Amino acid sequence: MKKAIIGKKIGMTQIFDEAGKVVPVTVIEAGPCVVVQKKTVEKEGYAAVQLGFEAAAEKQLTKPEKGHFAKAGVEAKKHLKEFRLENSDELNVGDVVTADAFAAGDHIDVTGISKGHGYQGAIKRFHAQRTPTTHGGGPVHRQSGSMGSSSSPSRIFKGHIGAGHMGVDQVTVQNLDVVKVDPELNMIVVRGAVPGPKGGIVYLKNTVKTIVEKQAGAGISVNPQKASARVNPQKASARNK
């Protein structure tokens, strides 16, 4: 991972690409982020930097947090996140990371907290099937139903689907591509949807996926038996003419 930044989800919209096709995108306010702490292999055993995003009022901080920012000599921030970067040695405390760290065409992974849905049943939470509504089904059409054997094992295994709290989980969407970057507005436009509600904090970093560029003619078969009738005279469609 070479690049990373903290941002805020603004919302979704759509833009037109060069071919005139509609592209659904998510607008993210990315940075500016300041380096609050730097960790080295000699002291902590690994190389990383801690980034801070969005100014915070002093009354919102605890005494340890105030000391942490005072030691770094930077303005207090609401959100802190540590990233293990390959070029972390090049960054120092007080340096600012802006949206232009990324460029159009980059592939990134976006991590955020999913939307909360409160307490939900098994049908909405796990897409369970509803029981038949005829022949004495009773008022249990949306309940989870039988959950296991009676005598053995005489219990319900952990992880079984059921009603409970839904959402507010850490979710990572991988291999999204950056469509546009505007350093003046601290804006990164990403193709597709990212987790979380409007105003939610998201973390952007280089994707862990291996990107394979498509070669010219990659979808063309080289099997002569699959060639068109004009090229392959052995095809039935050519012989019937």
Side-chain angles (χ1 to χ4, degrees):
M1 180 171 56
K2 298 180 181 179
K3 297 179 288 186
I5 197 170
I6 306 173
K8 179 190 296 184
K9 179 179 176 179
I10 302 301
M12 291 197 69
T13 183
Q14 58 186 21
I15 61 176
F16 294 90
D17 60 7
E18 298 177 355
K21 295 183 178 180
V22 175
V23 180
V25 296
T26 301
V27 180
I28 300 174
E29 179 188 348
C33 297
V34 62
V35 179
V36 179
Q37 186 180 24
K38 180 178 179 179
K39 296 187 177 181
T40 60
V41 178
E42 294 77 12
K43 187 175 181 180
E44 285 83 11
Y46 65 97
V49 292
Q50 185 186 72
L51 300 182
F53 173 67
E54 202 170 8
E58 185 177 355
K59 63 181 181 180
Q60 297 175 332
L61 304 177
T62 62
K63 286 186 177 180
E65 290 173 338
K66 293 179 182 178
H68 183 67
F69 292 112
K71 180 180 179 181
V74 298
E75 183 183 359
K77 300 295 180 180
K78 285 185 181 180
H79 310 284
L80 297 175
K81 180 69 173 178
E82 183 179 290
F83 298 96
R84 296 194 182 190
L85 306 178
E86 295 179 0
N87 61 339
S88 58
D89 295 336
E90 303 174 4
L91 298 174
N92 297 312
V93 175
D95 290 350
V96 178
V97 180
T98 56
D100 56 2
F102 294 89
D106 289 348
H107 294 267
I108 61 175
D109 295 342
V110 181
T111 302
I113 303 299
S114 63
K115 292 181 180 180
H117 295 269
Y119 189 92
Q120 297 297 332
I123 291 181
K124 180 174 181 178
R125 193 179 180 206
F126 294 103
H127 307 288
Q129 185 177 1
R130 188 187 62 176
T131 59
T133 57
T134 58
H135 300 291
V140 292
H141 303 300
R142 295 182 64 90
Q143 294 185 11
S144 54
S146 177
M147 291 189 177
S149 304
S150 57
S151 59
S152 176
S154 297
R155 62 187 178 88
I156 300 174
F157 290 109
K158 290 184 178 179
H160 195 283
I161 67 171
H165 187 267
M166 181 179 177
V168 196
D169 296 319
Q170 179 173 293
V171 179
T172 299
V173 180
Q174 296 181 330
N175 200 18
L176 298 176
D177 57 305
V178 177
V179 178
K180 182 180 179 181
V181 176
D182 192 335
E184 295 182 0
L185 299 177
N186 299 320
M187 181 179 68
I188 295 180
V189 181
V190 180
R191 184 191 305 269
V194 302
K198 294 179 182 179
I201 298 299
V202 293
Y203 308 109
L204 287 67
K205 55 187 179 182
N206 287 89
T207 183
V208 297
K209 297 286 188 180
T210 301
I211 306 302
V212 179
E213 299 294 340
K214 292 184 178 180
Q215 302 297 327
I220 301 176
S221 174
V222 296
N223 187 348
Q225 299 298 326
K226 295 182 179 180
S228 64
R230 285 179 290 181
V231 179
N232 184 9
Q234 300 298 325
K235 269 204 163 186
S237 58
R239 293 196 300 269
N240 294 335
K241 289 182 179 181

